[in-house]
Amino acid sequence: MSKSKGLIKSHIVKKYWMAFTGLFLCLFLLGHLAGNLQLFIPGYKGQLQFNEYAVFMTTNPAVKLLSYVTYISILFHAIDGIVISVNNKKARPQGYAFSRPGANSIWSSRNMGILGTIIFVYIVVHMQNFWYLYKFGEVPYQKAEDNLSPLLNDGTVVKGGEIINGEVVSNGEVIGIAMKDLYTVVLDGFQNPVLVAFYVIGMVAIAFHLVHGFQSGFQSLGLRNKKYSPMINKAGFAFAILVPALFAIIPIYMFIRL
Amino acid sequence: MSGAKGLDLTLKIWRQKNAQSKGKLETYQLNSVSPDSSFLEMLDILNNELIEKGESPVEFDHDCREGICGACSLYINGEPHGPGKRITTCQLHMRSFNDGDTIYIEPWRARAFPIIKDLVVDRSAFDRIQHAGGYISVNTSGNTQDANAIPIEKEYADEAFDAATCIGCGACVAACKNASASLFVSAKISQYALLPQGQVEAKNRVLNMVKQAEKEGFGPCSNTGACEVECPKGISIENIARMNREFLKASIAE
């Protein structure tokens, strides 16, 4: 019997990958959240810390590697999800005239594809808003507390220096790369109520996606028993509500703080 | 119970001549139905009326009428086996409905369960899944060992028995938004996977049964849990997790 062929084609294997990438992305969410929460640190200290963190996140090789794994996971999760959704539909070419799906399952569990699509759109817009802008767009630069001197990426203040083409120049000499001010980009961005609303909607979609997805991932991988599963389910529900809620508070906080 | 007022019902029933024809919902009015009659008896009454009028009766599956054969397979008012939990259609009684109700009666919908006529679907896909591995090979040449000679921990015996109560009715498939047969297949795998007698053929069993289910056209499992809620025997989706585990084990092992 050709086991390997069945392995690639099987619905179950597609669900293993869905679960595996999904649960990995839950870990990613935790990391991302930890970084974002630095935006709550007030004043110059918070601004500097967040911008230093942005430098770290874009230059550290280990972070870079992890970011590629994350991108691949997101893409794989999305493509696998589309393939599974197509197979889902194929299995019932003709639907019921009258159906009450709410009688036996929660809405989230039946609409993971729709939620996933919303989340994907959210990710693309989010990447454009900050990641693309930070890397390739025009952004302000971090200034020292005296509000004049530029900073290098490593945090060094260059007194009397000026920024030319993203580099700190002092006495006609290029000293290093200037630290970008992502903090101000974020703060300015969230003065737009439409963007704030978009981010909150994105987080609501993630919350609904996780309410089903977290525990479903464990189920797909066969990780279920009478002792631990009730705990996993409770932890999953808490995760699904708390993590997106904390994410969503940031744009709201940024919007109302000025 | 005499004296109880009968129910006047509007029935919307799926009529379809054969697998090839298109089929549609037909409306029937049925009056003074006893609340004590079972759902299938209600359909018998309707069919008597149709036959008397010279019309063709509504075809529907039924056999034991005591909830153990799994033949009666109706999607009633948007749920397999209608309202009420842990029952088959023959165990559903008209007292679950109100006077003046409209009742939708449809066949199971799944690519793997083609309609034969009206409300009757071909569920032989389940038989083929069973043939693919839902058995243990026991030598029956005259010196067969008594199964009870092997001591089995009570907990496992109970769980295997729970899985084995599956009557193969197909409600799990009907309820599932993906017409997945995962609950059925996993119950049939679990009833052996939990017992020592099932270990010898465990790997090939899970691989072959899952493969056959997918070949029949049943969909993937989305873990919505709808099957477990609608299963007349209350079979747990814990069995699906076990199937996923067994499949992974069998796939990784040579």
Side-chain angles (χ1 to χ4, degrees):
Chain A
M1 202 193 95
S2 65
K3 285 179 189 173
S4 53
K5 212 174 164 193
L7 237 186
I8 296 162
K9 280 165 68 183
S10 174
H11 297 323
I12 296 184
V13 175
K14 294 191 186 87
K15 297 297 290 195
Y16 290 154
W17 282 110
M18 212 59 194
F20 189 70
T21 50
L23 291 173
F24 170 74
L25 290 171
C26 286
L27 283 177
F28 156 74
L29 282 181
L30 278 185
H32 192 335
L33 179 64
N36 285 13
L37 289 176
Q38 295 174 91
L39 287 163
F40 283 116
I41 301 167
Y44 180 78
K45 190 168 170 272
Q47 182 186 7
L48 186 64
Q49 181 170 330
F50 188 74
N51 288 334
E52 280 175 340
Y53 168 72
V55 170
F56 170 76
M57 291 304 283
T58 45
T59 54
N60 185 290
V63 173
K64 208 161 228 174
L65 185 70
L66 204 58
S67 75
Y68 290 137
V69 175
T70 307
Y71 295 142
I72 291 166
S73 291
I74 292 170
L75 282 177
F76 200 92
H77 195 78
I79 293 164
D80 200 25
I82 292 167
V83 173
I84 289 170
S85 293
V86 169
N87 288 331
N88 289 351
K89 295 274 175 282
K90 261 201 231 161
R92 178 169 292 139
Q94 186 169 10
Y96 295 104
F98 182 78
S99 195
R100 289 181 59 234
N104 49 39
S105 56
I106 60 166
W107 184 87
S108 288
S109 73
R110 302 189 305 271
N111 293 282
M112 293 297 274
I114 293 167
L115 290 165
T117 308
I118 297 170
I119 294 164
F120 193 81
V121 170
Y122 167 80
I123 291 170
V124 171
V125 174
H126 177 49
M127 295 280 289
Q128 151 68 25
N129 286 158
F130 300 122
W131 178 84
Y132 182 83
L133 198 65
Y134 185 79
K135 284 219 137 173
F136 308 107
E138 253 182 54
V139 291
Y141 290 92
Q142 171 77 44
K143 294 279 166 63
E145 248 178 321
D146 62 12
N147 224 355
L148 282 169
S149 312
L151 265 73
L152 295 179
N153 255 351
D154 62 8
T156 318
V157 178
V158 183
K159 291 233 185 260
E162 55 178 336
I163 298 163
I164 300 167
N165 292 331
E167 289 170 326
V168 178
V169 179
S170 179
N171 300 326
E173 219 181 312
V174 175
I175 299 175
I177 297 165
M179 185 188 281
K180 291 178 179 177
D181 187 6
L182 184 64
Y183 181 89
T184 302
V185 172
V186 174
L187 193 62
D188 289 349
F190 288 137
Q191 299 318 301
N192 177 0
V194 178
L195 198 70
V196 174
F198 178 79
Y199 271 65
V200 171
I201 291 167
M203 288 309 111
V204 170
I206 287 184
F208 276 103
H209 199 73
L210 290 175
V211 161
H212 175 67
F214 193 99
Q215 52 87 24
S216 175
F218 285 88
Q219 169 82 4
S220 289
L221 292 170
L223 300 171
R224 177 178 173 129
N225 71 24
K226 289 188 177 67
K227 196 171 166 193
Y228 296 115
S229 291
M231 281 186 258
I232 289 170
N233 293 351
K234 276 186 201 127
F237 190 77
F239 186 96
I241 304 301
L242 276 178
V243 171
L246 286 169
F247 270 116
I249 288 170
I250 294 162
I252 296 169
Y253 170 76
M254 290 277 167
F255 181 67
I256 57 176
R257 58 170 278 183
L258 281 186
Chain B
M1 192 169 76
S2 59
K5 192 194 169 297
L7 308 172
D8 293 348
L9 303 166
T10 305
L11 306 172
K12 297 212 178 254
I13 301 176
W14 187 262
R15 302 302 306 262
Q16 185 170 336
K17 261 208 174 74
N18 52 47
Q20 286 75 40
S21 64
K22 236 194 120 193
K24 60 173 180 169
L25 279 178
E26 295 272 6
T27 307
Y28 299 92
Q29 191 65 39
L30 192 63
N31 294 331
S32 307
V33 176
S34 163
D36 296 328
S37 62
S38 79
F39 199 87
L40 297 183
E41 285 165 344
M42 182 276 291
L43 287 176
D44 291 337
I45 295 165
L46 172 74
N47 277 346
N48 278 342
E49 284 191 10
L50 290 177
I51 291 164
E52 274 171 30
K53 278 194 271 182
E55 292 176 32
S56 90
V58 178
E59 294 281 343
F60 61 95
D61 254 339
H62 59 96
D63 188 11
C64 75
R65 299 209 179 195
E66 54 186 8
I68 54 165
C69 77
C72 50
S73 56
L74 303 177
Y75 199 80
I76 302 159
N77 274 354
E79 279 182 85
H81 301 135
K85 297 292 170 239
R86 306 237 169 149
I87 54 165
T88 53
T89 303
C90 62
Q91 295 167 302
L92 175 66
H93 287 80
M94 296 316 292
R95 53 181 167 270
S96 303
F97 299 90
N98 297 313
D99 189 36
D101 273 2
T102 298
I103 305 173
Y104 284 81
I105 310 167
E106 297 176 75
W108 286 172
R109 295 287 187 193
R111 185 155 69 104
F113 286 163
I115 291 175
I116 296 170
K117 191 177 182 199
D118 295 339
L119 302 169
V120 180
V121 299
D122 179 358
R123 287 181 296 127
S124 57
F126 271 13
D127 298 339
R128 289 186 292 274
I129 293 170
Q130 277 289 65
H131 295 167
Y135 52 80
I136 55 165
S137 302
V138 177
N139 190 338
T140 52
S141 58
N143 51 0
T144 312
Q145 195 189 1
D146 191 320
N148 291 331
I150 303 169
I152 297 164
E153 212 176 309
K154 173 96 168 82
E155 200 185 312
Y156 289 102
D158 285 351
E159 261 187 78
F161 188 82
D162 285 348
T165 58
C166 167
I167 55 176
C169 66
C172 46
V173 174
C176 177
K177 75 180 183 74
N178 312 332
S180 172
S182 290
L183 193 65
F184 167 78
V185 179
S186 69
K188 296 302 175 195
I189 287 166
S190 287
Q191 72 186 47
Y192 299 114
L194 287 157
L195 300 177
Q197 292 93 331
Q199 299 313 308
V200 183
E201 291 151 309
K203 276 180 204 162
N204 281 336
R205 176 178 304 115
V206 65
L207 292 174
N208 291 340
M209 288 180 82
V210 166
K211 195 174 161 193
Q212 186 64 35
E214 294 183 7
K215 203 172 134 197
E216 296 291 346
F218 293 108
C221 175
S222 286
N223 301 327
T224 67
C227 52
E228 175 183 70
V229 176
E230 299 295 350
C231 175
K233 300 299 160 188
I235 290 170
S236 167
I237 56 170
E238 206 171 327
N239 292 299
I240 298 179
R242 184 178 296 108
M243 172 177 73
N244 293 343
R245 209 156 55 224
E246 291 278 318
F247 190 85
L248 189 61
K249 232 172 24 184
S251 303
I252 292 168
E254 184 40 46

